[in-house]
Amino acid sequence: MHSRVSNHEASNKQIGCKGELRKIQKKNNKNKSKAKNGNLEELIECLIAGYRQVPATDFDVKKNIYDYSGKNRILKRSRSILQNEEQGMKSDVEGNGEELDGLELDDLRDDNPENSLIIQPNTIAEFLLKIDEDVASNVDFSDFMICFNGEQKTIGRYSFPISLVPTVERIMNTYGDVSASSPMNTNITGKIYLLFCAAIKEMEDLELHQVTETKMLKWRDAIKDALRVNFKVEFAMSHLKKIAQAYFGGIGEQVLLTINEKLNSLYKERDKALEGFKDFLATAKDFDGQSVSTGLFP
């Protein structure tokens, strides 16, 4: 008997809880409906305000120019309300990252690829200073497209792969034995000499348009290493600086070419505009600084 009563009471409690749950759900639905209606009302108000700001249009005039900024701002606000309505979120203009004091984020970006051609003078100066920096070397055999293995030829105290022999001989014929002044053992300086000659060979093989800043810094490391062991290779450092200057000069040529192309296009547009307005320009000058009644009473 007690078990039945207990079960009956538990059942009544469950029914009561379900009833309370329905009430809570209805209350939440009403709140959501109010919030939704509030956002829709705000949307309608924004649209009405936008149309009030738009001046009357004369449809007989083919070109009617006026400021769209107010209307665009209203439409943007309306889109924001609709987007937040779909997400079930409250719209907040002050926290909207799309608007910054009337500016678009796109207005703050400089993503024009043409602007990437422009290199500031301080960027050039910084790189030229890097050429002289005495930093830890970061160059190795893998940085060069040269076969260092295979048949070797001995020149002086060092052995060189056949691919480097012509370069080594040109260096020797022009500057002498650049390694002669180094007191270090060839076991220590051998790799340094090979990397130095590999850098010179790449200079022989590449044209200016194939040179990169990364490549020049590798050459710098190979030359600096040779200088550290007292090789007489100052000529190579001087030439590397000349290559760096020519590298930025090549970029400058492209920038100027692009500017000249734009100027030519603008000159053509100017000539076309002049042709269209030439009959009216002289008349316009008659009114410069004068009221438009000028000439009405001769």
Side-chain angles (χ1 to χ4, degrees):
M1 180 67 179
H2 290 295
S3 176
R4 291 180 181 178
V5 172
S6 299
N7 291 337
H8 181 68
E9 291 176 351
S11 177
N12 288 337
K13 288 181 180 179
Q14 290 177 354
I15 293 171
C17 290
K18 291 180 180 178
E20 291 297 325
L21 180 59
R22 291 192 189 98
K23 290 180 181 179
I24 293 172
Q25 289 175 343
K26 288 181 179 179
K27 186 176 181 180
N28 289 338
N29 289 336
K30 288 181 179 179
N31 291 336
K32 289 181 180 179
S33 178
K34 288 180 180 179
K36 184 175 182 180
N37 291 335
N39 283 341
L40 289 175
E41 290 174 0
E42 187 178 2
L43 171 60
I44 293 170
E45 290 175 1
C46 286
L47 290 173
I48 293 173
Y51 282 110
R52 284 175 179 171
Q53 291 182 21
V54 178
T57 303
D58 183 359
F59 292 99
D60 293 331
V61 180
K62 292 184 178 179
K63 294 184 179 179
N64 183 21
I65 302 172
Y66 58 94
D67 183 11
Y68 284 86
S69 60
K71 184 178 178 182
N72 287 340
R73 209 170 282 118
I74 296 298
L75 293 176
K76 186 184 296 179
R77 172 66 177 146
S78 302
R79 286 195 298 268
S80 177
I81 293 172
L82 289 172
Q83 290 172 356
N84 289 333
E85 182 63 26
E86 292 174 356
Q87 297 173 3
M89 299 172 59
K90 181 180 178 181
S91 177
D92 185 0
V93 176
E94 293 179 356
N96 189 354
E98 291 288 322
E99 299 181 44
L100 296 172
D101 295 333
L103 291 176
E104 298 289 332
L105 284 178
D106 288 341
D107 295 332
L108 303 179
R109 297 190 183 104
D110 187 13
D111 295 332
N112 189 344
E114 294 178 351
N115 292 340
S116 63
L117 288 174
I118 306 298
I119 296 181
Q120 299 300 325
N122 61 332
T123 304
I124 300 175
E126 287 173 4
F127 183 80
L128 293 178
L129 286 175
K130 283 185 179 181
I131 297 295
D132 274 327
E133 280 183 343
D134 194 11
V135 296
S137 179
N138 188 34
V139 64
D140 207 342
F141 292 128
S142 58
D143 294 315
F144 300 97
M145 298 296 294
I146 295 172
C147 179
F148 292 92
N149 298 319
E151 185 180 353
Q152 304 282 311
K153 181 178 180 179
T154 300
I155 301 176
R157 297 181 296 161
Y158 298 89
S159 293
F160 299 92
I162 295 300
S163 59
L164 286 179
V165 168
T167 300
V168 175
E169 291 177 343
R170 275 190 287 274
I171 294 173
M172 298 268 306
N173 293 335
T174 305
Y175 300 101
D177 186 359
V178 297
S179 69
S181 57
S182 177
M184 295 186 179
N185 191 287
T186 56
N187 292 331
I188 298 174
T189 58
K191 179 180 179 180
I192 293 174
Y193 202 177
L194 286 175
L195 291 175
F196 169 77
C197 292
I200 300 300
K201 177 170 173 51
E202 274 200 339
M203 292 181 188
E204 293 181 300
D205 294 341
L206 299 181
E207 295 183 7
L208 185 59
H209 67 89
Q210 297 173 302
V211 174
T212 65
E213 293 179 27
T214 300
K215 181 65 67 178
M216 286 188 285
L217 292 178
K218 294 294 183 181
W219 294 344
R220 174 205 63 185
D221 287 350
I223 297 169
K224 284 281 188 179
D225 284 347
L227 288 171
R228 290 188 185 102
V229 295
N230 206 29
F231 279 25
K232 297 298 183 182
V233 293
E234 290 83 358
F235 65 90
M237 181 57 67
S238 297
H239 190 74
L240 177 57
K241 292 178 181 178
K242 186 176 180 180
I243 293 174
Q245 292 174 348
Y247 168 81
F248 287 108
I251 294 176
E253 287 180 348
Q254 292 300 315
V255 171
L256 292 173
L257 179 62
T258 300
I259 293 173
N260 287 335
E261 289 175 351
K262 291 181 178 179
L263 285 175
N264 290 335
S265 178
L266 287 173
Y267 283 134
K268 290 179 181 178
E269 288 185 23
R270 180 185 180 278
D271 292 340
K272 186 182 293 185
L274 180 60
E275 182 66 24
F277 290 104
K278 66 179 181 180
D279 295 334
F280 312 105
L281 293 175
T283 307
K285 288 182 180 180
D286 292 339
F287 288 92
D288 282 351
Q290 307 291 333
S291 71
V292 292
S293 67
T294 301
L296 183 61
F297 306 105

